[in-house]
Every structure is written in structure tokens, then in C-alpha cells.
């Protein structure tokens, strides 16, 4: 059983690496972007305050244009938050603040995870000439 779990995790990791390798580079999608950090809050579906919050710094020169944030619940299976399209839409529009949210559709035991991720991205761009 342990072996099987480890293999699944390794496969998921390899799959994520493959998706990141195949994704376009962020600097090609949003050439004017110079810096981006993303404040992330995770909410349990029943909670009234954020369960976890952290900030992700994006290495603009190297980052893939792919923003998939793993679910914070270690018991969650096949969960996670793909905020790529919400975030890229805002960055393409040149917004300095991009907000969005996503609900986890993974499963915890026999129920749906339902954790809610809220993100606020703070972006800076090259000055327009
Ligand atoms: Zn989840």
C-alpha cells in the first residue's frame, strides 16, 4: 500500500512537471510583466476565517504560464486549484491587482473537498513607452 501511494504521488509530480514544461512561458504570454506575487488564502467550506494563507513569489523570467496550487488538505485526493485562466486574463489586461477564487473538486474520504482558495495577485509591468 505504501509503495502504491508513493508511486501515485510520483506520477502526479511527473505529470505536473510535464504540464509545466509544455506550458508557454509567462514572459512570452505577458511580455511586459516585471514582477508578480500572489497572496493565497485557503478557506474550509464551513469556516469563517482563512485556514491557511501564504504568498507565492513568481519568478517572472522562468515561470511557466501555469498556476496550479495544490489543495492544502493533505487528505484531499485529486484536488487542487487551477487559477491559470483567471490570473492570465487579468495580467494580459495589465491589471496591477488580480483577484479570483476557486473551489477544490477533489475528494476527502467519501465527500467532496470543497475548500475554497482565494487569491490576490500583485503585478508590476514595464513602463509604457
Ligand atoms: Zn481539496
Amino acid at each position: 500500500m505504501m509503495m502504491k501511494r508513493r508511486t501515485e504521488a510520483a506520477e502526479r509530480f511527473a505529470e505536473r512537471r510535464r504540464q509545466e514544461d509544455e506550458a508557454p512561458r509567462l514572459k512570452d504570454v505577458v511580455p511586459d510583466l516585471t514582477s508578480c506575487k500572489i497572496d493565497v488564502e485557503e478557506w474550509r467550506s464551513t469556516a469563517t476565517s482563512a485556514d491557511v494563507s501564504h504568498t507565492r513569489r513568481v519568478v517572472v523570467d522562468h515561470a511557466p504560464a501555469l498556476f496550479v496550487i495544490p489543495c492544502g488538505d493533505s487528505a484531499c485526493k485529486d484536488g487542487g486549484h487551477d487559477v491559470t485562466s483567471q490570473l492570465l486574463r487579468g495580467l494580459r489586461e495589465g491589471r496591477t491587482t488580480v483577484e479570483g477564487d476557486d473551489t477544490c473538486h477533489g475528494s476527502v474520504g467519501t465527500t467532496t473537498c470543497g475548500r475554497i482558495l482565494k487569491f490576490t495577485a500583485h503585478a508590476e509591468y514595464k513602463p509604457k513607452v
Side-chain angles (χ1 to χ4, degrees):
M1 197 59 199
M2 278 307 285
M3 280 299 289
K4 186 167 184 297
R5 289 231 321 228
R6 202 173 297 149
T7 306
E8 277 176 15
E11 274 171 16
R12 267 204 295 278
F13 182 75
E15 172 69 12
R16 208 162 79 208
R17 282 300 297 268
R18 195 181 59 76
Q19 287 177 344
E20 287 184 355
D21 287 346
E22 286 178 359
R25 298 295 98 179
L26 183 58
K27 65 178 179 184
D28 294 330
V29 178
V30 193
D32 288 339
L33 186 68
T34 55
S35 97
C36 181
K37 72 181 170 80
I38 308 170
D39 293 330
V40 174
E41 286 184 356
E42 280 182 29
W43 298 63
R44 248 181 258 270
S45 48
T46 51
T48 50
S49 66
D51 202 31
V52 188
S53 65
H54 58 274
T55 300
R56 295 167 69 95
R57 276 174 201 288
V58 178
V59 185
V60 173
D61 281 341
H62 304 287
L66 185 76
F67 298 94
V68 180
I69 298 166
C71 179
D73 189 336
S74 55
C76 178
K77 198 169 182 296
D78 299 326
H81 305 277
D82 186 347
V83 298
T84 305
S85 60
Q86 292 184 65
L87 188 53
L88 287 183
R89 193 185 316 132
L91 294 179
R92 280 207 189 96
E93 289 170 2
R95 281 192 260 161
T96 51
T97 307
V98 185
E99 290 177 299
D101 56 71
D102 185 65
T103 303
C104 181
H105 295 291
S107 48
V108 177
T110 54
T111 57
T112 305
C113 173
R115 277 172 88 97
I116 297 161
L117 177 138
K118 296 181 182 178
F119 73 87
T120 308
H122 303 277
E124 289 173 15
Y125 304 86
K126 283 177 200 158
K128 295 234 188 309
V129 283

